[in-house]
Amino acid sequence: MTAHVTTTSAAPGGGAGLEVVRMLATLLWVSGATVVAIAVLGAMPGWITGDKGVVREAASIQDAERRLGARVLVPGYFPERLLWPPRSIRVAGGRRGSVRLDFAAHAGPEIQLLQATREGEPIAPELLGQRTVLRTSRTAVGKLPATLSDVLVDGALHRELAWELNGWAIVLRTSGDDLEELFRMARTSHRQGGR
């Protein structure tokens, strides 16, 4: 009879230990699933609109406009030496962020068009690249005040023409010397509305 009592009292003790292990495993699983769910939900707005600080490739200008929720500036004058569509289109800053269009050329240097799509906001620095301003002078694009700068971008010398159109910051950049081409593109640039 004593053996029978000892067996009965040992069984509940072993079952209680197993139950504690199950509860701890369930607690860990629920905690881990909660952490993963919160991380996924927190990242969703960035996936939908584009993270700030992250540069993303767009498949077309229309794709860039959808991501930005704004129209992309286009130059009315487009030199024949440049290729259309742009070689690359990059967006940064999420909704109403910035865009960069890189135009390859048949001959001569490429041209980059960078713009912000929110009034009063600067162009996203991650689109401008590692740049050092060497010299800046005042100029004008039509009647709008502008600056013409010599800059080092990733170690290469470029010329930048910067101005604002309806409050949007815009930069045209080239490694070439044909400033008249930049000014002509700038004077004929226009915004096709906005969202």
Side-chain angles (χ1 to χ4, degrees), residues 89-126:
I89 303 167
R90 297 181 178 101
V91 295
R95 298 291 281 177
R96 304 298 283 185
S98 301
V99 63
R100 176 175 141 181
L101 308 175
D102 292 353
F103 297 103
H106 293 290
E110 295 186 353
I111 290 184
Q112 297 172 350
L113 172 67
L114 302 99
Q115 76 172 91
T117 61
R118 184 185 302 271
E119 284 185 36
E121 291 291 322
I123 294 168
E126 50 273 17

Side-chain angles (χ1 to χ4, degrees), residues 10-185:
L18 184 59
E19 188 63 31
V20 169
V21 170
R22 284 184 187 157
M23 286 184 352
L24 286 174
T26 302
L27 177 65
L28 288 174
W29 187 87
V30 169
S31 298
T34 303
V35 168
V36 169
I38 290 171
V40 167
L41 290 173
M44 282 181 83
W47 293 338
I48 294 168
T49 63
D51 294 324
K52 286 191 180 259
V54 175
V55 176
R56 298 190 187 277
E57 287 285 331
S60 65
I61 289 179
Q62 292 79 12
D63 181 33
E65 289 177 334
R66 274 192 300 278
R67 290 176 186 218
L68 295 167
R71 297 281 183 184
V72 172
L73 180 95
V74 292
Y77 167 71
F78 194 77
E80 287 184 22
R81 69 178 193 81
L82 296 179
L83 299 171
W84 185 267
R87 176 178 53 83
S88 70
I89 303 167
R90 297 181 178 101
V91 295
R95 298 291 281 177
R96 304 298 283 185
S98 301
V99 63
R100 176 175 141 181
L101 308 175
D102 292 353
F103 297 103
H106 293 290
E110 295 186 353
I111 290 184
Q112 297 172 350
L113 172 67
L114 302 99
Q115 76 172 91
T117 61
R118 184 185 302 271
E119 284 185 36
E121 291 291 322
I123 294 168
E126 50 273 17
L127 291 179
L128 289 168
Q130 295 292 326
R131 70 194 262 277
T132 304
V133 178
L134 302 175
R135 182 179 54 164
T136 298
S137 59
R138 292 181 185 182
T139 186
V141 171
K143 295 180 181 179
L144 301 172
T147 58
L148 184 63
S149 303
D150 292 336
V151 297
L152 285 176
V153 180
D154 300 323
L157 182 62
H158 288 78
R159 307 294 299 272
E160 287 184 350
L161 178 60
W163 76 103
E164 284 189 6
L165 180 63
N166 300 326
W168 289 11
I170 305 165
V171 170
L172 276 169
R173 179 191 287 167
T174 184
S175 59
D177 295 326
D178 190 356
L179 294 180
E180 182 53 38
E181 184 176 73
L182 282 188
F183 277 95
R184 191 167 175 193
M185 289 178 75

